[in-house]
Amino acid sequence: MTDENAPTPATDGGLSAEAQRVIDEIEEKDVDFLRLQFTDILGTVKNVAVPATQAEKAFTDGIYFDGSSIEGFVRIQESDMRLKPDPETFAVLPWRDGRSARLICDVINTSTGEPFEGDPRRVLKNVLERAEDMGYEVNVAPEPEFFLFEEDEEGRATTKTSDAGGYFDLAPKDLASDVRRDIIYGLEQMGFEIEASHHEVAEGQHEINFEYDDALSTADNVATFRTVVRAIAAQHDLHATFMPKPIPKINGSGMHTHMSLFEDGENAFHDPDDEFDLSETAHSFLAGILEHAPAITAVADPTVNSYKRLVPGYEAPVYIAWSDRNRSALIRKPAARVPAASRIEARFPDPSCNPYLAFAALLSAGLDGIEKGLDCPDPVRENIYEFDEQKRQEYGIETLPENLGEAVDALEEDEVIADALGEHVFEKFVEAKSQEYDEFRVDVSQWELDRYLETY
């Protein structure tokens, strides 16, 4: 079968113009090693390191690997997979003296020559193609939060925070500002466009905001971002974690995700005649996310620990509603200075998610809302945290799943999100997350031992 996903041929040794540009840049920047990156379905970054001298072969022939060893990929009898580097993702990594560079890869099924349906990057591409067929370009800007913790004498992570700072604090309380600065320098060296960074509410908690970019590039960058943050933190003898709730009874880490659609170069979400400056398209997109929120939660908040963050009282949304003012709602409409900045902000994803799958789920839900012309409910401008159950019922406000098990159940019942993931990823994801929740349910926590062991 003809491999339709082979690099576009060119006159220069079979390389595309984009690939040749990368080859030239490798030589100019004296790169020694290439890290060919991809993710498993859980969002863990995997990489195959090859000498830079193999770059041309990587572009023309691909690099083969055993897919049966990757979470959620294939069985051992179907194991051969091929990595196809995307030359647009070339970036020199900001450590190892600038000698290593990354290329993010698509995964090709060698038995068919087609893109592997279990590749999370392919899942997002499929949804983006659907958006393109509807006439839309998708822009995304996430705000991933993370904690910086000290390491013990043996280099293992602790939960002792590296500073005593709070929201927007400056040094001396924000002692990790130098680490955050080095992280931003490193990301900018890779070509990331960073909008802002600051200390978050909790001690040791930080946030770095991405500039708007197309959804695929943003997902690529989120995957690499986590690796870069951990590596630079380690240079400062600190451990960076994107675990949603590493410390009880304080704010957890989210990844608020701003989204907008553009049509013919104009922001399809903007309407100056609307009370909220949102178009009918934006209202339907927003309604689609609200409609499918329980299922999206399984993908956007994919760990047992995620649901320790999604509780009232710690600035994390748990109620399925939207607002143009307060932050207790699931979705917020931020103020926009210019029409191009009109957008919505999904506040429930967390940074442990696979960004390809999370963006795919959010986008497919929004597109479903547009296709069905869903009506958007009125915004809730009051603090929903202060509502009692009766008042929430009066407003018709539902809640997110309370745990991973409920979220997986919601995902299994939602055909739109299941279809967006594709049969392979859907089945493997549900299998992995059901097992994770089952393991959690049968475990006995330290809290239980402390509370019950000597009491009964």
Side-chain angles (χ1 to χ4, degrees), residues 201 245 249-252 308-319 327-328 383-386:
V201 175
K245 188 87 166 187
K249 300 178 182 178
I250 66 171
N251 286 17
K308 302 294 180 70
R309 166 183 168 254
L310 295 176
V311 293
Y314 297 97
E315 297 191 11
V318 295
Y319 302 116
R327 288 169 163 80
S328 64
N383 185 350
I384 308 175
Y385 294 140
E386 297 177 355

Side-chain angles (χ1 to χ4, degrees), residues 89-402:
T89 65
F90 176 81
V92 177
L93 294 168
W95 63 85
R96 299 183 185 275
D97 300 322
R99 299 285 188 171
S100 292
R102 98 166 176 190
L103 279 164
I104 291 177
C105 300
D106 294 309
V107 181
I108 306 300
N109 187 332
T110 57
S111 64
T112 64
E114 298 293 329
F116 174 48
E117 62 179 357
D119 177 12
R121 197 170 192 256
R122 181 71 247 171
V123 170
L124 179 56
K125 281 187 171 184
N126 289 340
V127 178
L128 292 174
E129 287 170 5
R130 176 184 169 201
E132 185 178 0
D133 290 342
M134 295 172 65
Y136 299 120
E137 297 176 3
V138 184
N139 285 338
V140 178
E143 300 175 350
E145 297 169 344
F146 57 94
F147 280 86
L148 291 175
F149 292 127
E150 294 183 1
E151 296 179 340
D152 64 18
E153 296 80 5
E154 298 179 4
R156 293 177 300 191
T158 71
T159 53
K160 182 179 179 182
T161 58
S162 59
D163 61 69
Y167 195 57
F168 273 78
D169 272 354
L170 296 173
K173 285 190 174 182
D174 182 7
L175 300 177
S177 58
D178 288 347
V179 186
R180 209 164 57 239
R181 178 201 62 202
D182 288 350
I183 290 170
I184 292 172
Y185 283 163
L187 293 170
E188 288 180 338
Q189 288 173 23
M190 294 182 66
F192 284 46
E193 293 188 10
I194 302 300
E195 181 180 55
S197 76
H198 59 85
H199 199 290
E200 259 297 339
V201 175
E203 293 182 4
Q205 189 183 33
H206 306 270
E207 176 178 302
I208 294 178
N209 301 343
F210 287 42
E211 285 276 6
Y212 254 105
D213 206 345
D214 69 273
L216 183 63
S217 296
T218 302
D220 287 340
N221 287 341
V222 170
T224 299
F225 168 81
R226 293 187 293 211
T227 302
V228 171
V229 169
R230 291 191 192 101
I232 294 178
Q235 293 174 357
H236 292 263
D237 297 321
L238 296 172
H239 176 78
T241 182
F242 294 88
M243 180 179 177
K245 188 87 166 187
I247 302 177
K249 300 178 182 178
I250 66 171
N251 286 17
S253 291
M255 189 178 77
H256 303 160
T257 301
H258 298 251
M259 295 174 288
S260 61
L261 301 181
F262 276 69
E263 187 176 19
D264 298 325
E266 300 292 331
N267 191 336
F269 276 10
H270 183 72
D271 181 356
D273 297 323
D274 179 71
E275 179 183 359
F276 311 105
D277 292 329
L278 289 176
S279 67
E280 183 177 339
T281 297
H283 281 286
S284 292
F285 187 95
L286 195 161
I289 294 179
L290 295 178
E291 176 81 13
H292 298 286
I296 297 171
T297 306
V299 182
D301 304 273
T303 71
V304 163
N305 182 255
S306 297
Y307 298 85
K308 302 294 180 70
R309 166 183 168 254
L310 295 176
V311 293
Y314 297 97
E315 297 191 11
V318 295
Y319 302 116
I320 302 175
W322 77 282
S323 179
D324 63 322
R325 292 182 180 176
N326 75 72
R327 288 169 163 80
S328 64
L330 198 74
I331 298 176
R332 187 173 73 96
K333 193 277 175 183
R337 295 183 298 275
V338 294
S342 291
R343 64 199 187 277
I344 64 169
E345 175 193 15
R347 297 180 56 80
F348 59 112
D350 74 45
S352 71
C353 70
N354 183 324
Y356 301 105
L357 300 186
F359 292 172
L362 287 163
L363 178 57
S364 62
L367 295 178
D368 183 63
I370 293 173
E371 288 181 330
K372 294 177 179 175
L374 294 182
D375 292 327
C376 188
D378 291 333
V380 180
R381 290 176 164 175
E382 300 157 86
N383 185 350
I384 308 175
Y385 294 140
E386 297 177 355
F387 286 12
D388 58 23
E389 185 175 354
Q390 181 178 350
K391 190 168 185 179
R392 289 198 302 271
Q393 289 178 349
E394 291 174 2
Y395 277 69
I397 297 173
E398 302 289 340
T399 61
L400 290 178
E402 293 186 357

Side-chain angles (χ1 to χ4, degrees), residues 41 72 116-120 122-127 130 299 356-357 360-361 364 411 414-431:
I41 64 168
F116 174 48
E117 62 179 357
D119 177 12
R122 181 71 247 171
V123 170
L124 179 56
K125 281 187 171 184
N126 289 340
V127 178
R130 176 184 169 201
V299 182
Y356 301 105
L357 300 186
S364 62
L411 175 59
D414 194 310
E415 293 184 4
V416 169
I417 306 304
D419 288 345
L421 297 179
E423 183 178 357
H424 182 102
V425 169
F426 171 76
E427 290 181 356
K428 296 295 185 181
F429 186 87
V430 167
E431 178 183 342

